Structure formats: C-alpha cells, structure tokens
Amino acid sequence: MSERSRSNGGGQETTAAVWAAVSGTTIGEAWLHRDQERTPELLARYQDAIAQLERGVPFAYAVGSVGFRTLDLKIDPRALIPRPETEGLVDLVLARCATGLVADIGTGCGCIALALAVEGQFERVVAVERSAGAAALARENLQRVAPRTPVEIREGDLLAPLTGTGERFRVIVSNPPYLSFAEFAELDPSVSRHEPRDALVSGADGLDATRALFAGAAALLEPGGLLALEIDERRGAAVRALGKSHGWRVAIHADLFGRPRYALSIKEE
C-alpha cells in the first residue's frame, strides 16, 4: 500500500470520468455520447457517485471500481484501494518467476493475486486475507475475473493459513501494511477517514507485518524461493537490515519515480 492519497478532482473532467466508470465506457466515449438519453438506473448510479465525491469519498469507492494492470476490479471500503506502485511489484515478480505455487499475503481486493493468475503461468495462486470483508470482496473479484489459473482465497493473519499444509511456494508476495501509528495520524483525510486502518498501520515503527514475514516465510518457500514485498519508501535501509537479521539477502528496488519501494529477498544458505 502507499499512503499517497487520491484526488477526487472536479469539473467536467470528473463528471466525464464518473460517467465513464459507472457506465462501463471510456472517457472519450462518455464525451461523444453525452447527449444520448440515460437510463434511470445509470443516472441513479452516477448521481450517487457524484454525491459521494462531494462528501470526500475517494473516486474508486464512489464509482465502485478500480483498474489494476489489465484488470477492472470491484472496490469498496472493505479493502484498500490498489495503487499504481503495487503494479510494479507484480512486474518484479513476473520478471523473476511465473511458474510454480505463489502466495499473496494480505490480498485485500485480490489485485496482486488475480494479476499474477492472469499474467503468469503459475500452477496455483493462494491469496491470504485476515479481514473477512476484504476476503469476501476478493472472492467477488475472483468470480469477476475468472482466471484460468486456480486461485484459492484463505482467511487468516499473514502466514498462518499457509503453515502446516505441507505446501512449498516458489514466491511469497505481499503489500503489507507499513505505516506507523504516527504516520497514519498525518494522512490526508481522504485516506484516513475512508480506507481500512488495519490495511495501512503496522505497529509503532510500521514494520510489524514485514518483520513477521521475514521471520516466517523461509519455512514455506522452496529452496531459492523469493519473498517479494512492497515497502515504505522511507524504510529501505531499515527493511534491508531487518531482512539481514533474519538471514535474508535483500535487494531494494525503486519504483517508476526512483523511490525505494520494493524488497526482493532470497534466504541465505
């Protein structure tokens, strides 16, 4: 996750974007056909979305959908809104491995798991989510996307649903919560008032979930398996040191803006 907020925008561009989202068209098509008669159902959805935006609700929640790589996903306040930065994490995983068994920890709406299922050649994808509401949303998106690769959604905290199964994963990927309590308090209200706090905050230093993943992932990975994490851009050095203390060889990768955003780790032999 990224703490960066989403602007709701305003004016005609927002109007066209909202109409395109609720009607399932592009913004260009929305402009071209703006004089056509609207159905009462679409008008009601559009007016509801505009009303939500005026109350400060993030755009994706207001229109009920979000784009992630090639996917159009359902989104609502049960899960964090996927950010563009997380698409880069999928790129890094696919560049290194696209086969075998993969687990996505803290799947939220299912964006990472479903993108890997659609774009990779994995044997199976296991998506783990501790929030029952978010897990239900991920299942709705699984039905919506219907990937050929099997995707299993398990409820539970972090790595717990993977332990004791005898499974060994080629990749464990996660966009865990990584803000501190103090950082959450400083977020833009468009994020802090609407998006799920538990998907954003991870202890006093923001590293509780990352710490747990470094501590437990090695026992669940194949030899040479990859642990791929999205991290806070301010904590690259801290994450590298934390991984090293648990016996991992950690490489920090930048996002498209040059910010340290991803940690790719292999267990030291």
Side-chain angles (χ1 to χ4, degrees), residues 39-111:
T39 67
E41 180 185 2
L42 278 179
L43 277 174
R45 289 172 58 192
Y46 168 79
Q47 291 165 352
D48 178 66
I50 292 294
Q52 290 190 62
L53 289 174
E54 290 173 348
R55 297 197 302 271
V57 174
F59 183 90
Y61 287 159
V63 301
S65 65
V66 65
F68 186 81
R69 295 180 68 86
T70 66
L71 306 176
D72 177 48
L73 301 173
K74 179 179 179 179
I75 192 68
D76 60 40
R78 289 177 288 177
L80 195 73
I81 299 169
R83 267 57 171 187
E85 294 90 338
T86 305
E87 298 188 17
L89 181 63
V90 175
D91 274 328
L92 289 170
V93 170
L94 290 173
R96 285 154 180 78
C97 182
T99 61
L101 189 60
V102 60
D104 171 28
I105 308 303
T107 198
C109 69
C111 58

Side-chain angles (χ1 to χ4, degrees), residues 233-253:
E233 63 186 85
R234 297 162 291 189
R235 295 193 174 90
V239 169
R240 183 186 285 111
L242 182 58
K244 185 177 180 180
S245 73
H246 283 87
W248 295 89
R249 184 171 69 253
V250 181
I252 303 297
H253 294 259

Side-chain angles (χ1 to χ4, degrees), residues 86-162:
T86 305
E87 298 188 17
L89 181 63
V90 175
D91 274 328
L92 289 170
V93 170
L94 290 173
R96 285 154 180 78
C97 182
T99 61
L101 189 60
V102 60
D104 171 28
I105 308 303
T107 198
C109 69
C111 58
I112 293 176
L114 292 171
L116 291 174
V118 168
E119 298 182 53
Q121 301 296 320
F122 294 101
E123 171 189 335
R124 183 161 50 94
V125 177
V126 177
V128 175
E129 176 54 55
R130 65 183 174 185
S131 163
L137 178 59
R139 292 188 181 99
E140 292 172 34
N141 278 321
L142 175 56
Q143 292 183 336
R144 182 173 182 148
V145 174
R148 288 178 295 178
T149 297
V151 177
E152 179 187 356
I153 298 169
R154 300 180 189 173
E155 292 185 38
D157 189 37
L158 295 175
L159 300 170
L162 308 182

Side-chain angles (χ1 to χ4, degrees), residues 2-3 85 178 231-237 255 259-261:
S2 167
E3 71 274 21
E85 294 90 338
Y178 52 61
I231 64 173
D232 186 281
E233 63 186 85
R234 297 162 291 189
R235 295 193 174 90
D255 62 18
R259 302 171 298 193
R261 179 65 68 182

Side-chain angles (χ1 to χ4, degrees), residues 180-203:
S180 69
F181 298 124
E183 289 160 348
F184 178 81
E186 296 173 355
L187 286 179
D188 189 284
S190 66
V191 177
S192 61
R193 293 179 183 173
H194 298 282
E195 302 200 54
R197 180 180 179 277
D198 286 348
L200 293 160
V201 178
S202 191

